[in-house]
């Protein structure tokens, strides 16, 4: 079986995109998805995303981590899927779609910027050394003094597999404040089990957490991730964050075909 796929990246967070409106992709085959995402023996990506039909909205997003398992929401993946939907002619400048965490609205700005509405956040657990919140995926947010030289894979794995988060684990974000509304972020992603160049739900979590603990008073926060720059905008009322938008580039890389041999 020949599979046509498309490669997209959002600030270095890269994804295999598949048009699955005919429901032909064997999405129960975890081993196949893991192999396709493998950077040495497959196409190579942080995750694989299926675009499927939806009865009400423009499309449905089904996201798999590079370990082959269906996962929680991926912000950069959602933005890239919107750009992919435009390439397929499904949408023009705006999109409505359903992901694992519910409804999302998005708009395309200019050539490659996509603004994606994320879920509202009404619960943020603040501890002495870190904060925890869910922005569609669970995120641990921790300020560190030497972000540049931090071994993110080792230190992130320690926290991800610690008793703090149990079997389900969490994504781990290490943060350094650069200016009042600018933060540098490095993220260890569960399911990838390594540092990624960018994490959209992680950037969103950092922006909200830093506002919540008083590190910034701005409702628009810039995030410098390893793969580029993202921005997060939101409204806040009595600790509830709404109208949360993740904004950044979503770039088409290449198109190809691969024999699935199944």
């Amino acid at each position: 079986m020949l599979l046509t796929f498309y490669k997209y990246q959002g600030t270095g967070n890269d994804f295999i995109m598949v048009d699955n409106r005919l429901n032909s992709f064997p999405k129960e085959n975890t081993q196949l998805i893991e192999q396709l995402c493998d950077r040495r023996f497959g196409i190579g990506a942080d995750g694989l995303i299926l675009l499927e039909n939806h009865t009400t909205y423009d499309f449905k997003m089904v996201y798999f981590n590079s370990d082959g398992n269906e996962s929680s929401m991926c912000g950069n993946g959602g933005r890239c899927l919107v750009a992919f939907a435009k390439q397929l002619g499904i949408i023009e400048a705006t999109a409505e779609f359903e992901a694992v965490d519910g409804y999302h609205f998005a708009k395309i700005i200019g050539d490659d910027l996509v603004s994606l509405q994320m879920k509202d956040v009404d619960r943020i657990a603040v501890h002495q050394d870190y904060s925890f919140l869910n922005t569609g995926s669970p995120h641990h947010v921790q300020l560190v003094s030497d972000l540049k030289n931090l071994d993110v894979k080792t230190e992130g794995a320690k926290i991800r597999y610690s008793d703090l988060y149990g079997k389900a684990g969490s994504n781990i974000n290490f943060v350094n404040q650069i200016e009042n509304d600018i933060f540098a972020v490095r993220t260890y992603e569960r399911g990838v089990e390594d540092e990624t160049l960018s994490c959209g739900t992680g950037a969103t979590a950092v922006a909200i957490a830093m506002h919540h603990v008083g590190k910034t008073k701005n409702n628009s926060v810039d995030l410098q991730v390893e793969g580029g720059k993202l921005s997060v905008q939101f409204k806040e009322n009595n600790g509830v964050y709404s109208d949360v938008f993740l904004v950044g580039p979503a770039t088409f890389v290449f198109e190809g075909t691969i024999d699935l041999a199944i």
Side-chain angles (χ1 to χ4, degrees):
M1 173 184 169
L2 280 179
L3 172 72
T4 298
F5 67 90
Y6 303 77
K7 188 77 178 289
Y8 274 80
Q9 62 89 10
T11 53
N13 208 186
D14 60 339
F15 308 96
I16 300 165
M17 299 288 182
V18 177
D19 180 358
N20 196 39
R21 286 177 290 174
L22 297 179
N23 291 314
S24 59
F25 185 86
K27 54 188 177 184
E28 73 288 342
N29 193 334
T30 302
Q31 185 177 2
L32 172 64
I33 296 170
E34 183 177 14
Q35 181 181 344
L36 291 173
C37 291
D38 192 286
R39 297 193 183 278
R40 293 176 176 82
F41 298 101
I43 299 165
D46 291 325
L48 182 145
I49 303 176
L50 303 178
L51 184 149
E52 298 186 343
N53 288 317
H54 194 281
T55 55
T56 305
Y57 305 131
D58 295 309
F59 53 87
K60 179 181 178 181
M61 172 184 178
V62 183
Y63 174 66
F64 300 86
N65 275 326
S66 61
D67 63 2
N69 293 306
E70 190 170 350
S71 186
S72 49
M73 181 57 184
C74 176
N76 286 330
R79 294 189 308 96
C80 286
L81 190 63
V82 171
F84 179 44
K86 181 179 181 181
Q87 181 177 350
L88 293 177
I90 297 172
I91 63 164
E92 292 185 4
T94 62
E96 295 179 289
F97 67 94
E98 183 181 30
V100 67
D101 64 338
Y103 168 83
H104 289 269
F105 169 78
K107 58 183 177 181
I108 298 173
I109 305 168
D111 293 332
D112 70 344
L113 282 182
V114 176
S115 175
L116 173 65
Q117 186 171 17
M118 307 295 283
K119 64 175 288 185
D120 292 353
V121 175
D122 59 6
R123 287 187 295 176
I124 305 169
V126 179
H127 301 271
Q128 182 176 353
D129 298 320
Y130 68 94
S131 299
F132 177 81
L133 62 160
N134 193 308
T135 54
S137 290
H139 281 279
H140 173 110
V141 177
Q142 181 173 323
L143 283 160
V144 295
S145 59
D146 189 7
L147 182 63
K148 181 179 179 181
N149 295 310
L150 184 69
D151 185 344
V152 170
K153 183 175 182 178
T154 299
E155 297 305 316
K158 286 180 184 177
I159 302 171
R160 182 256 197 267
Y161 288 105
S162 71
D163 292 340
L164 270 179
Y165 300 115
K167 186 176 180 180
S170 174
N171 300 286
I172 312 300
N173 303 274
F174 299 104
V175 186
N176 180 48
Q177 186 164 12
I178 298 173
E179 294 182 17
N180 178 54
D181 58 351
I182 302 175
F183 297 84
V185 185
R186 296 178 65 186
T187 302
Y188 176 96
E189 286 200 52
R190 65 173 188 171
V192 179
E193 306 310 332
D194 203 346
E195 180 179 9
T196 55
L197 293 179
S198 177
C199 176
T201 54
T204 304
V206 169
I208 291 173
M210 292 299 100
H211 184 274
H212 190 72
V213 300
K215 291 296 182 180
T216 180
K217 297 185 182 299
N218 289 5
N219 287 24
S220 179
V221 178
D222 291 335
L223 295 310
Q224 295 185 2
V225 297
E226 293 294 283
K229 295 181 181 179
L230 295 166
S231 66
V232 175
Q233 293 131 28
F234 49 80
K235 295 178 182 177
E236 184 271 335
N237 184 28
N238 292 325
V240 176
Y241 291 80
S242 62
D243 292 329
V244 181
F245 282 88
L246 171 68
V247 184
T251 307
F252 171 68
V253 183
F254 63 87
E255 175 185 350
T257 58
I258 188 169
D259 190 346
L260 298 185
I262 56 173

